Amino acid sequence: MTGTLIARRVLMAVPTLFGVTLLVFAMAHAGGDPAVAIAGEKAPRATLERIREEYGFNRPVLVQYGSWLGGVARGDLGRSYKTRVPVAEELRQAVPATVELATAALLIAAICGIGLGILASLRPGSLLDLAVMTVSLVGVSVPVFFLGMVLLVAFQGRLPGGGMLPLDVEFEPSRTGMVLIDALLAGKPGIAAEHLRHLLLPACALATIPMAVIARLTRASMLETLTSDYIRTARAKGLPSRTVVLKHALRNALVPIVTTLGLQYGTLLGGAVLTESVFAWPGVGQYLVRAISEQNFVGIQGAILVIAATFVAVNLAVDLLYTRIDPRIAHA
Amino acid sequence: MPEWRRSLLRLWSSRTARAGALLVLLYLGAAVFAGLAPREPREIDQTKRLKPPAAGHWLGTDELGRDVLSRVLHGSRLSLLIGLLSVGAALAVGVPLGLAAGECGGVVDLVLMRCVDVLLAFPGILLALAIMAVLGPSLTNLMLAVAAVNVPVYARQVRASVLQVRSLDYVLSARALGASRLRVVLRHILPNIAGPIIVLATLGIGTAILEAAGLGFVGLGVEKDAPEWGTMLASAREYVLSHPWVVLAPGVAASLAILGFNLLGDGLRDWLDTRAAAR
């Protein structure tokens, strides 16, 4: 892949990111007077004036946007109206929790989705195929928060249904912010195992939709590949079925699947907002819902910006990865 | 047998489309006849809090003693309203934008598609959440938020469909005969891309119901006591382990409605693909 191509793709993402900042800022400021949101509707006029002065709400909107954008570029997302703590600092604790949850869900979705898709493609039209397709259709239709509650009922007493660790376990993830990785790095496998038990239900609930999408795509992609001439040749040469399926067919069928895996990360970030609410998972989603209920517009602005920017970055990475996997795209 | 009838029979012969149509019909029936529900959906009876399913209350009662069956039935009416109106509004904005981008090309296409890119940079539910945070919870705002999330999706799909057909012979002939740009778009392009739009709209109703329920679940849907499925799930969540029926009824109803539209949309897509291949 040429450097020019990478530069072009990266440059194309810049206007999108700029638009994202503009939209996020506009939305946060369209909700009425932020000074009233902070001090309440019954606050005295003098208090409101003082707040406007303190936060710079009395400056022209464009100046406010420029100043906010400058802050964003430096990693400063403003100060929470409620806690007075910098939003970037609050999100620094919440983001790793969401990334950990979304990554675990993506792993589950990839392993189960690709596995089910391969099984279904080997016997198209069979009972197994029908079952996989039905499961995948149901998977994309069940609201993630409802599925979360069903899992809570189903595994009641066997798996923990909320939080990241038991209340009596004290552990501060200090390196990556992700409990599982930090516990392993700190040589505490007991804490890692306990955290894994807490992670399992929310990750499974969140994984359902991507798993269903990946299973259907894998089946379609494998069916197309399995009827290709080179697969027929491989079979005619007498290669074992396992080798033909896993080494020859799957490798080629994987191209669209890898792309979809990346794109599903965005779905997971969106779904995390709802899943985290069900399982009291202290990630960006729960932070955002709390910020909305508290009318903390700086927090809302920061959380949405972080999720949208991650989404844009993941899409860009997938785009670049795709051209790497299939060089024909780069020359198209 | 006339062609249209043969075509409909082919659609009905698809297992997916048939299952979807039956579920959607069931859902429409529930919405239309919700007025026949045994109780008023907001009728509180503190003496009957969290009663399990029984003869007087087939699906039990919730934490305020309201009849769950009546609330679920009225919920279908509300979600149908949200689904249809928000998809209608999204189509009303997204289709003209997609047509303009695909037909005009150049700067118009560039500007419109960059705006679409920006909107698509947000995971759908997140954008809806942000809009609701600004506008505040209400039925109209909920429909606006769900519609706004779907506008860029429809605009992009319509643009792609326009690009596919705009250089086909019948469109070029119409242009050569002196038809105006508007006439070409409305009389020659739009009818020929209606298929994918119908599929997208059918699937979109399911997505709209899902998004509305998600917003209701985080407290940004309609008012708190309204019989909306997501709001019902949110208020019942603390009883999920002790009284699961309060959660199961609205959850299953929402899942079946969404499944119905997904199956019907899939069936329609397969049917249109077969028709296109047969031509």
Side-chain angles (χ1 to χ4, degrees), chain A residues 260-274:
Chain A
T260 308
L261 274 178
L263 297 177
Q264 286 300 316
Y265 208 75
T267 312
L268 290 172
L269 290 173
V273 175
L274 301 170

Side-chain angles (χ1 to χ4, degrees), chain A residues 15-16 19-20 23-24 27-28 30-31 130 137-138 140-146 149-150 152-153 156 209 216 266 269-271 273-274 277-278 288-289 292 297 300 304 307-308 311-312, chain B residues 15-16 114 117-123 125-127 129-131 133-134 210 213-215 217-218 220 230 233-234 237 240-242 244 247-248 251-252 254-255 258-259 262-263 266 269:
Chain A
T16 308
V20 165
L23 194 61
V24 168
M27 281 196 291
L130 185 71
L137 254 170
V138 172
V140 290
S141 306
V142 180
V144 65
F145 45 93
F146 172 57
M149 292 197 221
V150 171
L152 278 178
V153 175
Q156 184 181 4
I209 292 180
R216 295 180 77 173
L269 290 173
V273 175
L274 301 170
S277 294
V278 178
L288 178 63
V289 172
I292 290 173
F297 287 105
I300 297 171
I304 292 178
I307 298 179
F311 194 26
V312 173
Chain B
R15 249 190 328 208
T16 314
R114 287 296 79 79
D117 281 347
V118 170
L119 290 171
L120 289 177
F122 296 86
I125 187 76
L126 188 77
L127 185 60
L129 212 66
I131 296 171
V134 172
L210 187 67
L215 291 171
F217 184 73
V218 293
L220 287 170
L233 281 167
R237 63 203 282 190
V240 63
L241 296 177
S242 53
V247 165
L248 280 177
V252 169
S255 305
I258 298 161
L259 180 66
N262 283 347
L263 285 168
D266 271 5
R269 184 166 39 207

Side-chain angles (χ1 to χ4, degrees), chain A residues 249-268:
Chain A
L250 184 61
R251 188 173 288 183
N252 280 291
L254 268 180
V255 177
I257 299 167
V258 169
T259 316
T260 308
L261 274 178
L263 297 177
Q264 286 300 316
Y265 208 75
T267 312
L268 290 172

